[in-house]
RNA sequence: GCGCGAGUGGUGGAAUUGGUAGACACGCUAGUCUUAGGAACUAGUGCCGUAAGGCGUGAAGGUUCAAGUCCUUUCUCGCGCACCA
């Protein structure tokens, strides 16, 4: 008997798939399409880790499952190649990012091949390939044309030692991540995408997405829609007013002071007399710190009085104007009316600085706590006393508008998407700055704006990308007037590059346009998107761009991803994250090399638990799966080697087990319960194992074993191909139909019924499948052990068809 | 703090619709055989108890003939957001 040897059969089938181009697909309107994709990887120098192996094993299982069902399956792969690691590596070693990236991609592709994933490599893309980023740039110009890409002065982190701009996540506790210097804020002109124009559309789209609730909630919160009012407060003894945003205009009679953010434009003018100096100092200090920092610090409120007053438009009361950093400059109007009786933050502030608190909403259950957000009956509110606060919310805005300025207003937490990066290794922003015409888009026929090759990748310390020093490249002519002009030297955020790659897979080599709409509309939207990261950013940006593309008539759908599979992490054996420093990293390629093979690795990853949960790697666990595949192998070999195939002893039982398993595995994969699909295959194998000692019949065993090859193929494709071939199957198992189950064969003649007495299990009876209720009840009561517990006439006997009898005494 | 999940044997987990809790796998125990093979096979394995039986799904209540599943309260852990007015 041949032994199961994955290191022999796996490379063999990988070669066959490659030679036959088994996974390449084209648009075919006569077939139902199925488009699945994992989130494309950043090809790091470290190669593939278990997270990748897990993610792509899920994707591949689905691709193979649907391919076997006869769908036209697109399972592509690409590489998210722009980004900081390659650039930092270049700064350190001088190896150009393009060269290092190409090597890493080669390595990743080898590793993908060894995993046995069924990818259509003819569609490979890489975001740093000029043939790709030409179209990323083209999208930028289209957004620019539509007013969705614009420039704005904005504050950026600046490290005075490294003399470079830092991203928010590169600032740790107010210090530069590299040198530890206290960072500063610097105002710079930056490019933004106007995602806020799509806030409502993106919010409305969330409801119908077949995505995990937590991702949908995360996106909803991120967009952060608030409906309220903007109300104007006149500044006392000044010809000025301060506009505030509130979601609770009904509490305006309780507004006892105003608070402005330190960034508020009026702050500079409001300081009066003795208060002026302390105000200036406070503002200077607050602006130095980021919003992020302010939030990380203790919630102890700080603030200063301006010495100035405003008039509450509801009751004409003079209310003091304060400045405090708990009010954010970037949200609403950067100013609030503080209602300490009904907002815990205002309450904390009022307590600390002894400001008046007026309770304007009465609720019965209210205790002494400041009643944050509660609805109730209005009081201390003039003519509105006794009314319901919820009912008056809109009325009071109308009333305020009659003798002042007040309008209904909706605000969002989401800000526009800042895409400028002062970095080399990214897609150049396709803009030319002309002294005459300003920022002009590079015309389509001059795209791509190719990233120039340079020698020195280290930032020069001027807050610009090193591209600014590639003088020949920077100096150009204005597309509008032909006069001398300069190129934009910032590159785009990598998220821009990954916001449309799922569309490019449909038509990856098109040199005329970003994609052909027929191809894109055939394959998209994506049926399954598999990943475990980017809950908000990437998954929101992809939606944003697709919404825009639909508005531009480039695609005929709004939402790019139908079903999102957001899987967990694979942790180390002790449940903590794998990390190089802890030395607990499991390298999936090592696992394959150890002799377990890719099939065991993949099947184990699917068997570990529900895909959406985190799981801890258990070296014993993969041994168990290897044992299972060995049993599959052994039982198949014993059939193949058998000289006598005339023993029909267990044929009926084998047939029942086979059809039950087909049904179960099919259902389980459909509902993405991959761990139970694998356990179903294990049970089936164990059962066949039991019967093999009695000997083999020909057709029944052959069919039973071919079925296992088919059902196992999504998880362990190599052994499945091998067994399929040994059993005389036609062609590749992955191109053969998924087995069907025959419902009639699964039905058993006698069924087992549990018997409970007062809710406790007391016995089990066997009855005919179609026995009527009275017969079953009688049989239940006749059961010896049941009778022991039923000493009086039962009060009630309930028969649940096909399941149990419940006797109540 | 707010939001979203999840708590089941020694371990990972199963139970699709309120209907036999613990499938499958790991580990462990005992045994068989040792063509020393990452062995294989057989039997057992929730807890207490010799048994009959009792107890048992984070905790406490409740609804029901019947609750891991539904309701109320509460605790713990994970993830996301985090002074957004």
């Amino acid at each position: 008997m041949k032994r199961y040897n994955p290191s022999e059969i796996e490379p063999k089938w990988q070669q066959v798939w490659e030679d036959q181009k088994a996974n390449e697909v084209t648009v075919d309107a006569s077939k139902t399409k199925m488009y699945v994709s994992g989130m494309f990887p950043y090809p790091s120098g470290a190669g593939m880790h278990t997270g990748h192996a897990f993610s792509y094993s899920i994707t591949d299982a689905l691709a193979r499952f649907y391919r076997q069902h006869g769908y036209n399956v697109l399972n592509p792969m690409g590489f998210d190649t722009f980004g900081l690691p390659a650039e930092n590596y270049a700064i350190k070693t001088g190896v150009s990012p393009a060269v290092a990236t190409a090597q890493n991609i080669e390595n990743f592709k080898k590793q993908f091949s060894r995993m046995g994933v069924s990818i259509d490599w003819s569609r490979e893309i890489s975001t740093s390939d000029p043939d790709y980023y030409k179209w990323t740039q083209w999208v930028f110009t289209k957004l620019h044309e539509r007013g969705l890409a614009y420039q704005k002065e904005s504050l950026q982190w600046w490290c005075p030692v490294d003399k470079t701009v830092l991203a928010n996540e590169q600032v740790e506790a107010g210090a530069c991540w590299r040198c530890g210097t206290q960072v500063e804020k610097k105002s710079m002109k930056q490019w933004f995408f106007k995602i806020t124009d799509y806030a409502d559309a993106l919010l409305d789209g969330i409801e119908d997405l077949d995505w995990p609730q937590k991702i949908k909630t995360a996106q909803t919160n991120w967009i952060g829609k608030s409906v309220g009012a903007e109300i104007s407060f006149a500044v006392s003894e000044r010809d000025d007013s301060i506009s505030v945003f509130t979601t609770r205009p009904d509490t305006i009679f309780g507004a006892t002071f105003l608070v402005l953010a330190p960034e508020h434009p009026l702050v500079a003018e409001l300081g009066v007399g003795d208060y002026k100096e302390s105000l200036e100092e406070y503002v200077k200090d607050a602006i130095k710190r980021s919003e992020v920092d302010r939030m990380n610090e203790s919630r102890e409120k700080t603030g200063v009085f301006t010495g100035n007053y405003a008039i509450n438009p509801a009751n004409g009361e003079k209310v003091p104007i304060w400045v405090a950093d708990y009010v954010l400059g970037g949200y609403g109007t950067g100013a609030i009316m503080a209602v300490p009786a009904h907002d815990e933050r205002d309450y904390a502030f009022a307590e600390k600085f002894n400001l008046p608190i007026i309770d304007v909403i009465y609720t019965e259950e209210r205790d002494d706590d400041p009643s944050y957000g509660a609805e109730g009956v209005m009081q201390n509110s003039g003519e509105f006393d006794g009314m319901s606060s919820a009912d008056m919310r809109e009325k009071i805005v109308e009333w305020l508008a009659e003798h002042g300025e007040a309008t209904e207003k909706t605000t969002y937490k989401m800000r526009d998407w800042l895409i400028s990066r002062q970095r080399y290794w990214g897609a150049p922003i396709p803009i030319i700055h002309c002294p005459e015409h300003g920022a002009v888009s590079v015309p389509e026929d001059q795209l791509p704006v190719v990233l120039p090759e340079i020698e020195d990748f280290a930032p020069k310390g001027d807050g610009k990308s090193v591209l600014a020093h590639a003088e020949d490249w920077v100096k150009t002519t204005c597309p509008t007037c032909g006069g001398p002009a300069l190129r934009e030297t910032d590159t785009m955020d990598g998220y821009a590059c990954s916001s449309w790659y799922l569309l490019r897979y449909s038509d990856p080599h098109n040199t005329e346009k970003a994609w052909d709409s027929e191809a894109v509309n055939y394959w998209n939207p994506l049926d399954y998107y598999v990943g475990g990261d980017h809950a908000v950013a990437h998954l929101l940006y992809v939606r944003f761009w697709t919404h825009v593309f639909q508005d531009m008539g480039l695609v005929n759908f709004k939402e790019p991803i139908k079903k999102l599979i957001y899987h967990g992490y694979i942790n180390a054996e002790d449940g903590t994250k794998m990390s190089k420093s802890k030395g607990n990293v499991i390298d999936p390629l090592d696992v394959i090399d150890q002799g377990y093979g890719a099939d065991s690795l993949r099947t184990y990853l699917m068997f570990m638990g529900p895909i959406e949960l985190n799981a801890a790697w258990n070296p014993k666990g993969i041994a168990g799966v290897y044992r299972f595949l060995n049993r599959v192998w052994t039982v198949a070999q014993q059939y193949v080697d058998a000289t006598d195939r005339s023993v029909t002893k267990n044929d009926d039982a084998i047939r029942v087990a086979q059809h039950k398993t087909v049904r179960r595995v099919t259902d389980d994969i459909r509902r993405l319960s991959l761990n139970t699909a694998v356990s179903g295959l294990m049970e089936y194998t164990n059962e066949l194992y039991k019967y093999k000692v009695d000997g083999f019949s020909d057709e029944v065993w052959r069919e039973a074993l071919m079925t296992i090859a088919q059902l196992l193929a999504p998880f362990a494709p190599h052994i499945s191909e091998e067994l399929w071939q040994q059993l005389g199957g036609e062609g590749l198992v992955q191109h053969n139909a998924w087995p069907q189950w025959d419902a009639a064969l699964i039905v058993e003649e006698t069924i087992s019924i549990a018997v409970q007495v007062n809710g406790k299990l007391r016995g089990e009876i066997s009855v005919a499948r179609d026995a009527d209720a009275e017969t079953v009840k009688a049989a239940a009561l006749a059961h010896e052990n049941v009778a022991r517990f039923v000493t009086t006439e039962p009060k009630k006997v309930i028969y649940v068809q096909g399941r149990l009898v419940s006797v109540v005494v």
Side-chain angles (χ1 to χ4, degrees):
Chain A
M1 189 181 87
K2 267 198 257 174
R3 280 200 32 225
Y4 173 48
N5 185 358
S7 58
E8 188 185 304
I9 62 172
E10 292 188 355
K12 170 183 149 191
W13 287 103
Q14 285 156 14
Q15 194 60 48
V16 171
W17 297 329
E18 198 186 318
D19 292 346
Q20 295 192 10
K21 299 184 190 307
N23 308 308
E24 293 188 13
V25 282
T26 52
V27 170
D28 181 350
S30 71
K31 281 182 168 176
T32 312
K33 68 92 183 184
M34 175 57 61
Y35 177 17
V36 301
S37 177
M39 291 178 183
F40 67 168
Y42 176 81
S44 76
M48 203 182 274
H49 53 67
T50 43
H52 291 120
F54 184 44
S55 210
Y56 300 120
S57 293
I58 297 168
T59 314
D60 200 50
L62 293 172
R64 289 176 180 276
F65 178 74
Y66 285 105
R67 195 178 291 122
Q68 283 179 261
H69 275 82
Y71 286 76
N72 194 23
V73 175
L74 172 58
N75 180 26
M77 183 56 65
F79 297 95
D80 186 19
T81 41
F82 277 135
L84 273 180
E87 183 167 337
N88 289 338
Y89 183 73
I91 292 168
K92 217 162 77 183
T93 63
V95 177
S96 112
V99 170
T101 297
Q103 283 170 0
N104 291 347
I105 287 177
E106 273 319 297
N107 184 36
F108 259 74
K109 284 179 73 174
K110 261 186 222 138
Q111 298 188 330
F112 271 117
S113 165
R114 301 205 48 209
M115 288 283 300
V117 291
S118 60
I119 285 161
D120 179 353
W121 285 109
S122 74
R123 292 168 184 268
E124 179 187 350
I125 57 178
S126 160
T127 56
S128 63
D129 180 345
D131 291 341
Y132 179 91
Y133 70 68
K134 168 178 181 173
W135 301 109
T136 308
Q137 292 173 333
W138 175 81
V139 172
F140 179 99
T141 63
K142 291 292 148 189
L143 294 177
H144 191 220
E145 218 169 78
R146 296 175 78 85
L148 292 170
Y150 67 96
Q151 266 183 304
K152 189 178 79 179
E153 196 75 21
S154 120
L155 284 174
Q156 278 278 292
W157 288 117
W158 174 257
C159 172
V161 170
D162 284 353
K163 297 203 182 352
T164 182
V165 168
L166 299 172
N168 249 333
E169 57 272 20
Q170 295 167 334
V171 179
E172 289 158 3
C176 173
W177 68 333
R178 284 232 192 89
C179 63
T181 314
Q182 202 68 30
V183 293
E184 297 168 359
K185 277 261 172 120
K186 191 168 168 165
S187 190
M188 298 178 54
K189 216 169 186 186
Q190 311 267 330
W191 283 94
F192 291 83
F193 286 151
K194 212 169 180 184
I195 190 171
T196 51
D197 270 12
Y198 282 76
D200 272 319
L202 292 170
L203 194 60
D204 292 345
I206 290 172
E207 202 181 326
D208 296 327
L209 295 176
D210 186 7
W211 289 18
Q213 189 53 47
K214 67 171 177 178
I215 308 294
K216 292 174 34 162
T217 308
Q219 296 213 348
T220 304
N221 291 342
W222 182 264
I223 295 168
K225 181 175 181 167
S226 294
V227 178
E230 209 169 289
I231 299 168
S232 187
F233 283 64
V235 178
S236 163
E237 292 158 37
R238 260 183 76 100
D239 186 19
D240 241 329
S241 66
I242 292 167
S243 200
V244 302
F245 174 73
T246 177
T247 54
R248 294 296 302 275
D250 49 297
T251 62
I252 189 162
F253 286 89
T256 52
F257 56 100
L258 296 189
V259 187
L260 308 193
E263 296 88 350
H264 195 282
L266 226 52
V267 166
E269 299 167 33
L270 284 177
V272 172
D274 296 347
Y275 299 103
K276 201 173 170 68
E277 200 178 319
S278 61
L279 175 64
E280 278 167 8
E281 199 166 310
Y282 180 80
V283 169
K284 211 175 99 192
D285 184 59
I287 285 180
K288 232 171 70 184
R289 292 172 292 147
S290 72
E291 288 180 9
V292 176
D293 269 3
R294 284 192 214 160
M295 293 178 297
N296 285 344
E297 282 164 15
S298 84
R299 273 148 199 270
E300 182 72 11
K301 297 275 182 293
T302 61
V304 286
F305 179 43
T306 60
N308 235 310
Y309 293 84
I311 307 298
N312 183 331
N315 54 17
E317 294 285 332
K318 249 174 97 176
V319 296
I321 303 171
W322 285 65
V323 171
D325 67 3
Y326 83 92
V327 174
L328 305 174
Y331 181 77
T333 61
I336 61 153
M337 63 178 210
V339 184
H342 305 290
D343 181 286
E344 57 183 359
R345 296 154 303 183
D346 297 344
Y347 180 80
F349 195 80
E351 283 275 284
K352 177 155 178 186
F353 295 103
N354 279 318
L355 292 158
I357 298 169
I358 303 174
D359 189 345
V360 293
I361 306 285
Y362 172 78
T363 51
E364 245 171 50
E365 25 339 305
R366 183 168 175 189
D367 11 67
D368 292 335
D369 290 333
S371 183
Y372 182 44
E375 298 289 354
V377 179
M378 296 174 70
Q379 58 182 13
N380 298 323
S381 296
E383 62 190 83
F384 293 93
D385 282 359
M387 314 262 206
S388 145
S389 61
D391 293 350
M392 287 303 110
R393 186 157 309 162
E394 287 169 22
K395 289 270 165 55
I396 209 158
V397 178
E398 289 169 23
W399 176 77
L400 285 167
E402 283 168 21
H403 47 102
E405 277 178 61
T407 51
E408 285 183 22
K409 175 88 177 175
T410 300
T411 63
Y412 302 86
K413 287 188 204 171
M414 184 169 68
R415 317 287 164 86
D416 278 338
W417 173 14
L418 193 165
I419 57 121
S420 294
R421 295 290 181 274
Q422 292 73 37
R423 290 283 164 185
Y424 169 75
W425 191 232
I429 293 174
I431 285 288
I432 291 167
H433 297 280
C434 171
E436 194 82 6
H437 298 96
V440 182
S441 276
V442 175
E444 187 175 335
D445 61 9
Q446 290 174 34
L447 293 175
V449 177
V450 178
L451 206 50
E453 283 178 32
I454 59 168
E455 299 285 311
D456 182 5
F457 300 96
K460 298 290 173 291
D462 48 10
K464 293 178 187 162
S465 154
V466 288
L467 285 174
H469 302 275
E471 275 190 34
D472 292 348
W473 180 83
V474 173
K475 284 185 186 155
T476 185
T477 52
C478 170
T480 308
C481 64
L486 300 174
R487 288 193 190 280
E488 169 69 47
T489 59
D490 284 354
T491 54
M492 274 187 256
D493 180 6
Y495 279 126
C497 305
S498 58
S499 289
W500 70 285
Y501 80 107
L502 293 168
L503 304 179
R504 183 68 176 178
Y505 281 142
S506 307
D507 191 12
H509 307 301
N510 198 328
T511 52
E512 302 300 314
K513 35 189 176 168
W515 59 76
D516 173 67
S517 51
E518 199 197 346
V520 149
N521 291 334
Y522 173 76
W523 290 114
N524 291 276
L526 182 60
D527 295 281
Y528 289 95
Y529 196 30
V530 182
D533 210 346
H534 309 295
V536 175
H538 166 60
L539 289 169
L540 191 64
Y541 298 149
V542 175
R543 296 183 57 223
F544 165 46
W545 276 30
T546 310
H547 277 243
V548 177
F549 295 151
Q550 200 213 23
D551 286 351
M552 289 168 69
L554 292 168
V555 301
N556 67 3
F557 49 92
K558 210 176 253 226
E559 292 294 341
I561 300 156
K562 275 197 228 165
K563 171 102 185 157
L564 174 69
I565 298 176
Y566 203 75
H567 59 73
Y569 295 111
I570 305 296
N571 289 323
E573 208 177 337
D574 61 359
T576 63
K577 276 208 164 33
M578 289 186 192
S579 80
K580 265 191 211 153
S581 57
K582 278 189 282 182
N584 58 4
V585 175
I586 301 290
D587 181 339
L589 279 300
D590 282 354
V591 174
I592 294 174
D593 287 337
Q594 277 164 34
Y596 286 120
D599 283 342
S600 288
L601 171 67
R602 295 172 47 144
T603 308
Y604 173 56
L605 287 168
M606 298 299 93
F607 181 63
M608 288 175 90
I611 51 180
E612 64 275 12
L613 259 48
N614 294 344
W617 182 267
N618 178 357
K620 296 278 176 52
I622 188 162
V625 170
Y626 180 73
R627 207 168 293 153
F628 155 62
L629 293 180
N630 252 305
R631 288 159 75 89
V632 172
W633 179 267
T634 303
V635 69
Q637 297 312 307
Q638 290 182 349
Y639 164 80
V640 169
D641 295 346
T643 47
D644 176 10
R645 295 200 194 126
S646 62
V647 182
T648 59
K649 190 171 169 196
N650 300 301
D651 283 4
D652 286 345
I654 290 170
R655 229 183 257 118
V656 171
Q658 177 194 324
H659 286 263
K660 271 187 174 171
T661 304
V662 172
R663 179 177 63 180
R664 176 170 167 189
V665 172
T666 308
D667 279 358
D668 282 354
I669 297 179
R670 282 223 182 94
R671 65 189 179 95
L672 300 170
S673 179
L674 305 183
N675 56 332
T676 56
V678 174
S679 74
L681 287 166
M682 287 172 168
E683 281 181 63
Y684 178 48
T685 305
N686 291 344
E687 197 159 354
L688 292 181
Y689 226 73
K690 216 164 61 191
Y691 299 137
K692 78 181 166 64
V693 296
D694 294 325
F696 300 89
S697 67
D698 200 358
E699 278 310 303
V700 171
W701 271 96
R702 181 161 178 268
E703 203 186 301
L705 292 166
M706 287 179 87
T707 298
I708 208 169
Q710 288 174 303
L711 296 178
L712 193 56
F715 308 107
H718 310 86
I719 190 176
S720 300
E721 291 288 10
E722 183 70 22
L723 295 179
W724 182 256
Q725 189 188 51
Q726 288 182 9
L727 293 162
E730 297 244 338
L732 295 177
V733 71
Q734 67 160 307
H735 289 144
N736 270 276
W738 189 258
Q740 302 282 309
W741 72 88
D742 182 346
L745 278 177
I746 297 172
V747 175
E748 283 163 296
E749 285 312 307
T750 52
I751 54 176
S752 149
I753 300 288
V755 186
Q756 293 181 344
V757 180
N758 284 350
K760 285 189 166 54
L761 185 67
R762 295 300 180 193
E764 207 170 280
I765 54 172
S766 263
V767 298
R769 171 171 51 86
D770 49 7
D772 63 79
E774 289 315 309
T775 314
V776 177
K777 287 181 187 176
L781 291 169
H783 186 278
E784 192 190 345
N785 196 47
V786 172
R788 279 180 55 210
F789 290 91
V790 184
T791 49
T792 55
E793 185 63 17
K795 290 199 190 97
K796 220 195 291 187
V797 181
I798 299 157
Y799 174 48
V800 182
Q801 178 63 38
R803 288 194 184 270
L804 59 67
V805 174
S806 181
V807 183
V808 190
V809 291

